[in-house]
Amino acid sequence: EPTWVQGAKFDSQAPEMDVDVEYHYEGWGTNYDHIPDPEFCAAMCQGVAKCEAYTWVKNAGLDGCPSQCWLKGGVGKKVPKKGLVSGVPPPRKTMPLPVKAGSTKGASLYCFSLMVPGGYEEGLLKWQHDHKAGIFGCDGAGVYSNKPVHVAEGVVASVVNSTLKCGYGGDSQSALNSWIFIAVWHEVIAVGDYKKHDWVAKVDPDAVFFPERLRALVAPHAGKGGYLNNCKYGMHGPIEVFSTSAIEILAKDYASSWDGKAPVSCVKQLHFGQWGEDMFIDQCMSKVLDIEPRPLEPKLMCESHCDCPSWYWCNEGPDVVSYHPFKSIESYSNCMANAAGAKAPSLVAK
């Protein structure tokens, strides 16, 4: 079988690739394991400023997904080699200017992120603040952590009573972080800033998020209450969007617990030991607290776990609210630039 057929899975957005060719370059290079296809490798190269070329290795002998992506500072010598795919990244686009928040009636947003202190999330959130991007483009914004970290000018994290440590498990080996977010929502409710707004969005720091697109998306739902489901397989955690009235119902369930620290009926009625926080809050609201409506809004999020295979190009259309995950400032800003260009014409036909 051929090593790779460019444009077979979906429209390719990379310049024409050299299949069964290695780019042998002597200078700068770095590699990433478990990168499933050369298209992803090309997108990674575009997201690193000094990457001028890449070589993808179909089978590098790794456990699980055996493929590897090498980013290189130049093309160097082209050497025929079966099972490798090489190429250059598409041209890099420029970062868009922040979009001024237009007031949309019924679509005022309070957005927050939970941050693990001392890691990459801290730098990402500082960058977002400095560029008025992500949650800092919302009408109100908050950062939560387990220490009062000074994130950026005028931004100090509200302290959550949690170590922020959890195990992994369940069907998808995801973070079993329900108790962490039970503590986070307790603090969000206690701080109370969300009450000044119509909608509450919990956004992961590594989700590239466009608040102006979210305002347009929630506007038709104004005044209906409920919350939005972002994936046909059930709500996923990178971005979760709730009406303020839904959070008020959740707050009442917290208030009726003996110490006010957990939503008592949800904790009692749900067996959530092997669940992530996204499944917990979804089941808590829909099954226990009977919060509705819960319309499906697939434009809320593009990620591989919810049928968006080319998430890494960040150009599924001008109305897609978020892309996930982007864990470095370079890749995050590159995704924002691609998304601002909306849909690039495909460079290679199917």
Side-chain angles (χ1 to χ4, degrees), residues 29-84:
T30 187
N31 70 296
Y32 296 90
D33 294 342
H34 314 298
I35 303 305
D37 57 60
E39 192 81 17
F40 191 175
C41 192
M44 291 177 78
C45 183
Q46 189 198 36
V48 175
K50 58 183 173 183
C51 183
E52 296 296 333
Y54 63 88
T55 292
W56 177 76
V57 184
K58 187 167 188 172
N59 188 353
L62 307 169
D63 290 339
C65 170
S67 309
Q68 212 171 34
C69 172
W70 286 83
L71 306 184
K72 306 179 179 206
V75 172
K77 191 177 173 200
K78 297 186 179 184
V79 181
K81 197 161 184 187
K82 181 78 179 150
L84 276 61

Side-chain angles (χ1 to χ4, degrees), residues 29 32 48 53 65-66 69 140 162 178 206 264 267 271:
Y32 296 90
V48 175
C65 170
C69 172
S162 168
S178 295
D206 62 351
V264 63
V267 168
H271 301 284

